[in-house]
Amino acid sequence: MKTITEKIGCKMAFRHRLIQLLLLLAAPICMAQNTALAASAVSGEIRPFKVSFSKADLDDLRHRIKSTKLPEKETVNDFSQGVPLKTIKELTEYWANDYDLDKLEAKLNAYPQFITNIDGLDIHFIHVRSKEPKAMPLILAHGWPGSTIELMKIIDPLTNPKAYGGKAEDAFDVVIPSMPGYGFSGKPTSTGWGPERIASAYTELMKRLGYKKFLAQGGDWGALIVDMMGVQAPPELVAIHTNMAGAVPPEIDKAAFTGAPMPSGLSADERYAYERLAFFYKSGLAYALEMANRPQSLAALSDSPVGLATFLLDHDALSLEMIARSFAGQKEGLSPDDVLDNVSMYWLTNTAVSSSRLYWENKLAFFAPKNVKIPVAVSVFPDEIYAAPKSWAEKAYPNLIYYNKVGKGGHFAAWEQPKLFVEELRAAFGKLRKPVKG
Amino acid sequence: MRTAQTTIVPTVDDPQAIRPFEVQFLQNDLDDLRQRVTATRFPEKETVDDNSQGIPLKTVKAIAKYWANDYDFGKLQRKLNAYPQFVTEIGGLDIHFIHVRAKERNALPIIITHGWPGSVLHQMKIICALANPTSYGGKAEDAFDVIIPSIPGFGFSGKPNATGWNPTRIASAWIELMKRLGYDRFVAQGGDWGALITEQIGVLAPPELIGLHTNMPAAVPAYIDRAAAFGEALPSEIPSEERQAYEDLAFVYKRVYYAHYMASRPQTLAALADSPVGMAAFMADFDARGLELIQRAFDGVEEGISRDDLLDNFSLFWLTNTAVSAGRIYWENKLPYFSPKGIEVPVAVSVFPDELYRCPKSWAEVAYPNLIHYNKLEKGGHFPAWEQPEIFVDELRNALRKLRTTKRSHENYSITI
């Protein structure tokens, strides 16, 4: 215990760690039955959590996959009508015959998980402390259709860099919460849980864990949340890293959205970004609009696992194509198991509709600058919905401490290219090391 | 006799022949449907106390409960087979239709087109009154020969396996159908997709077409349509009726994202093919007043459409597995829903108060230079033939009366009913 005390150097964190250990050893483990979790009795209490799926739920899922009723084939030979029937069939067959559903629970329980009630809602999170004394605390925020699963590949390299091609001083303490309505966090029963409130809750979580200085990282909704943390700028937050920069100038965003001609005077990078945005708004945004307006009318996603998978696969054009190649047998960023781990978790927690409601809650423009004044690091992956040009990032984030275009990866960068992603985080936050902990 | 549900195998001899058709659902499919409805897994309740997040859980549960426990699965087949149905191949696709000839010699042939989420069931309440007016409060000279086709990808029509079946092509097929039935003069009627298809018949303007009737006119001036779609303010003062229509439209555009979704990613809605209650929830949410009407029906206040009406229609979609194929019409369509299409043939317009937007007469007059009838009704919504069949029949009789001057064409084809 002595080494732990020395390492943490913070009374609150030590108390928390001690409680964690004691609870892990002695206390009954919280069960995740359909995420119906009892509110914690003690305000601010952090309870250990382990996933436990019921056999009945797993059997029901298997049965539903096998009795899936499919639509007919699309009338095109490309992805322009959505997920091709061939991909749906390959996924269904793999899920039914090759995927090991019984392993999911163990995969999720591979890292220490906790639940704490914040602002009236149970927030589930993974928390892994590094053994390195100079580890920097980092909260990683997932998006839709993601979960803590999309960030699990980077936990070990971030917390234990020496074993993964890094140096001791690259170490992070990692906190990965599930968003409200997602995974094992509670489902809001009233309105108000938009990105701003989630951002406040994440700051509170880091403070509750005893961190006096921390970093935040996100993509997709996670990017909006960390941007909002940056706007709220609590004194504990040192900097943020985003892999989906909110940096599109308003006039360009509007032109792309309304299908107006491309504004003149753009650089090559800016023109490409505009074209990608216009393409997304024209043919890829409808799911977001439907969820933003009529999330409850997507009840079918709660009743059809393969229908849910199909819906979640079709996040954006390049991700869908990558996943389709993966199910067709090519080795790609996401394996069929990666995809089905995530979909199975959405199914088993019945969070298809509750996760959609975040779109309904949100009032922020996805890609517009949010006026973040604290230090920001931006990594641009080539297959992201749009690749933010440096010129836009500099304007959107006046305190831009890092900008890099990465060679490979898409919207789910940490999940698809964990090695590159970890290198990005090490490089992006490297120069902030000194003042954080010590 | 053809007995099939979704897949209609072309006959070997003459696919263009008009083949009698009867619906026969398989007991296995009915059992599977009931079993799935019973085993439905629901989402949690919405976080609001109104319809602003979509169809409320309470309504979804009420639909599932009635479907599983009270709905009579055997009746649908009998209802559908109560009218003579046929199938004929047009443009490489089997087209299913109801065809009822009036006994009156001078009956006016009318082709009536349903929309989404609809089917021939939406028009079945008006068949008898149109074909046999003397038994339904009308006069002999009000009689119509009634043809009600299923849109490609809907009901018992074939599902296209290649692209191109947009409203214009469907309109051409409808013209061919009427000619194949031996009609050399006819009128066309429609709402929702049926309105777009009917208007395309008007644009194609074959010599056989003597006029059309719409209950969802595409008459919105371009600048109003754009302002409503993008939430822009109106440029100048306009009459209150037009402002009201603009506000209706602005509200509709903020709500019909299901249409955007089906227009861009119809195949991604595979869940609708696997979850009957999920499909019903998606389809029940077609417009704000329509959803409220459905909710009142399941609360025990049946006005116009009953719970059985709704579940007949949902069951038909389910048993023919057409949720996704029907959704593709949105993908195929490139026409604006509500903008004038340049129609010169005579047009009759009926405006129902709970329609997506209430078309002012001033717009209808500009959109349809040959406007022969314009009337605002007191009651009814987006599916008036289904909701208010009596009012709707009266409208058709009055609206199309002045087009009856032409004698009925020579019949070169006859079918035994």
Side-chain angles (χ1 to χ4, degrees), chain A residues 64 67 69-70 72 79-81 187 290 293-297 302-304 314 347 350 357 360, chain B residues 36 39 41-42 44 51-53 55 159 255 257-258 265-268 274-275 285 318 321 328 331:
Chain A
R64 283 173 187 263
S67 50
K69 194 174 140 185
L70 294 170
E72 65 293 326
F79 293 87
S80 63
Q81 290 180 342
K187 296 178 183 183
E290 177 68 7
N293 288 278
R294 316 301 293 165
Q296 299 297 130
S297 298
S302 287
D303 192 35
S304 165
D314 199 7
W347 176 265
N350 193 7
R357 279 200 301 269
W360 188 93
Chain B
R36 283 172 187 264
R41 198 180 78 152
F42 297 95
E44 63 293 327
N51 292 353
S52 64
Q53 290 179 342
I55 185 164
K159 297 178 184 181
R255 203 184 170 288
Y257 292 108
Y258 67 83
R265 315 302 288 166
Q267 300 297 126
T268 302
D274 191 37
S275 165
D285 194 18
W318 177 265
N321 192 9
R328 280 198 300 268
W331 188 93

Side-chain angles (χ1 to χ4, degrees), chain A residues 34 60 63-64 67-76 79-85 88 187-191 254 257-258 282-284 286-287 289-290 293-308 310-311 314 320 346-351 353-354 357 360-361, chain B residues 32 35-36 39-48 51-57 60 159-163 226 230 232 254-261 263-279 281-282 285 291 318-322 324-325 328 331-332:
Chain A
N34 300 321
D60 178 61
H63 169 75
R64 283 173 187 263
S67 50
T68 299
K69 194 174 140 185
L70 294 170
E72 65 293 326
K73 188 189 173 302
E74 62 283 0
T75 58
V76 291
F79 293 87
S80 63
Q81 290 180 342
V83 181
L85 184 64
I88 303 177
K187 296 178 183 183
T189 55
S190 57
T191 61
K254 194 184 172 197
F257 184 73
T258 57
K282 184 161 178 261
S283 54
Y287 71 87
L289 294 171
E290 177 68 7
N293 288 278
R294 316 301 293 165
Q296 299 297 130
S297 298
L298 291 168
L301 306 182
S302 287
D303 192 35
S304 165
V306 169
L308 169 68
T310 305
F311 192 79
D314 199 7
L320 171 59
Y346 267 79
W347 176 265
L348 291 165
T349 54
N350 193 7
T351 48
V353 171
S354 57
R357 279 200 301 269
W360 188 93
E361 289 287 351
Chain B
D32 177 63
Q35 194 276 326
R36 283 172 187 264
T40 299
R41 198 180 78 152
F42 297 95
E44 63 293 327
K45 188 188 173 304
E46 61 283 358
T47 58
V48 291
N51 292 353
S52 64
Q53 290 179 342
I55 185 164
L57 182 65
V60 181
K159 297 178 184 181
N161 54 21
T163 61
R226 195 189 146 80
F230 292 108
E232 292 163 4
K254 277 194 207 137
R255 203 184 170 288
V256 293
Y257 292 108
Y258 67 83
H260 290 252
Y261 201 89
S264 58
R265 315 302 288 166
Q267 300 297 126
T268 302
L269 288 168
L272 307 185
D274 191 37
S275 165
V277 170
M279 185 200 76
F282 189 77
D285 194 18
L291 174 58
W318 177 265
L319 292 164
T320 53
N321 192 9
T322 49
V324 171
S325 56
R328 280 198 300 268
W331 188 93
E332 287 287 350

Side-chain angles (χ1 to χ4, degrees), chain A residues 82-322:
Chain A
V83 181
L85 184 64
K86 176 177 173 282
T87 302
I88 303 177
K89 280 187 169 169
E90 284 166 353
L91 177 146
T92 306
E93 277 165 30
Y94 188 89
W95 208 358
N97 303 323
D98 302 311
Y99 177 74
D100 189 347
L101 189 58
D102 292 322
K103 274 192 189 157
L104 177 61
E105 190 179 289
K107 281 184 206 172
L108 291 165
N109 287 332
Y111 295 99
Q113 298 161 84
F114 307 89
I115 285 189
T116 189
N117 194 284
I118 300 177
D119 200 4
L121 199 73
D122 274 345
I123 301 295
H124 161 264
F125 61 101
I126 295 171
H127 186 197
V128 180
R129 289 183 192 270
S130 172
K131 285 180 189 148
E132 303 299 339
K134 289 188 175 172
M136 289 201 296
L138 170 65
I139 184 164
L140 299 163
H142 73 80
W144 185 94
S147 64
T148 54
I149 288 174
E150 59 171 308
L151 301 164
M152 281 173 69
K153 290 181 190 173
I154 61 173
I155 295 175
D156 290 338
L158 289 177
T159 53
N160 187 12
K162 285 190 287 187
Y164 294 86
K167 298 175 211 148
E169 55 265 37
D170 292 327
F172 294 90
D173 274 14
V174 173
V175 179
I176 308 176
S178 297
M179 287 195 281
Y182 287 67
F184 302 100
S185 279
K187 296 178 183 183
T189 55
S190 57
T191 61
W193 277 100
E196 300 90 334
R197 188 161 165 195
I198 299 174
S200 302
Y202 284 5
T203 298
E204 167 59 25
L205 174 61
M206 292 305 272
K207 285 163 52 177
R208 200 173 285 181
L209 291 173
Y211 293 122
K212 290 187 169 156
K213 293 283 177 199
F214 67 91
L215 305 162
Q217 194 289 326
D220 196 87
W221 281 115
L224 271 85
I225 291 165
V226 298
D227 264 0
M228 292 323 289
M229 291 170 83
V231 170
Q232 294 163 1
E236 296 83 0
L237 182 62
V238 176
I240 63 170
H241 173 271
T242 176
N243 55 295
M244 194 185 86
V248 183
E251 70 279 7
I252 292 180
D253 206 25
K254 194 184 172 197
F257 184 73
T258 57
M262 190 185 322
S264 57
L266 301 185
S267 70
D269 270 5
E270 292 168 346
R271 282 202 300 273
Y272 181 63
Y274 169 87
E275 280 162 10
R276 296 278 302 150
L277 273 174
F279 168 76
F280 179 71
Y281 284 141
K282 184 161 178 261
S283 54
L285 184 68
Y287 71 87
L289 294 171
E290 177 68 7
M291 292 193 287
N293 288 278
R294 316 301 293 165
Q296 299 297 130
S297 298
L298 291 168
L301 306 182
S302 287
D303 192 35
S304 165
V306 169
L308 169 68
T310 305
F311 192 79
L312 299 184
L313 248 55
D314 199 7
H315 173 269
D316 65 282
L318 295 176
S319 297
L320 171 59
E321 289 170 26
M322 181 264 292

Side-chain angles (χ1 to χ4, degrees), chain B residues 13-28:
Chain B
D13 36 3
D14 179 12
Q16 299 200 349
I18 290 169
R19 295 161 276 154
F21 176 88
E22 252 192 30
V23 176
Q24 189 172 49
F25 296 122
L26 301 175
Q27 191 57 45
N28 274 353

Side-chain angles (χ1 to χ4, degrees), chain B residues 206-264:
Chain B
E208 294 83 2
L209 180 71
I210 57 176
L212 55 88
H213 174 270
T214 175
N215 52 286
M216 194 186 86
V220 182
Y223 77 96
I224 300 263
D225 203 32
R226 195 189 146 80
F230 292 108
E232 292 163 4
L234 288 184
S236 57
E237 281 202 11
I238 57 170
S240 64
E241 259 197 340
E242 295 182 11
R243 180 167 295 280
Q244 179 63 60
Y246 159 83
E247 281 165 12
D248 289 350
L249 279 168
F251 177 76
V252 165
Y253 281 127
K254 277 194 207 137
R255 203 184 170 288
V256 293
Y257 292 108
Y258 67 83
H260 290 252
Y261 201 89
M262 291 191 287
S264 58

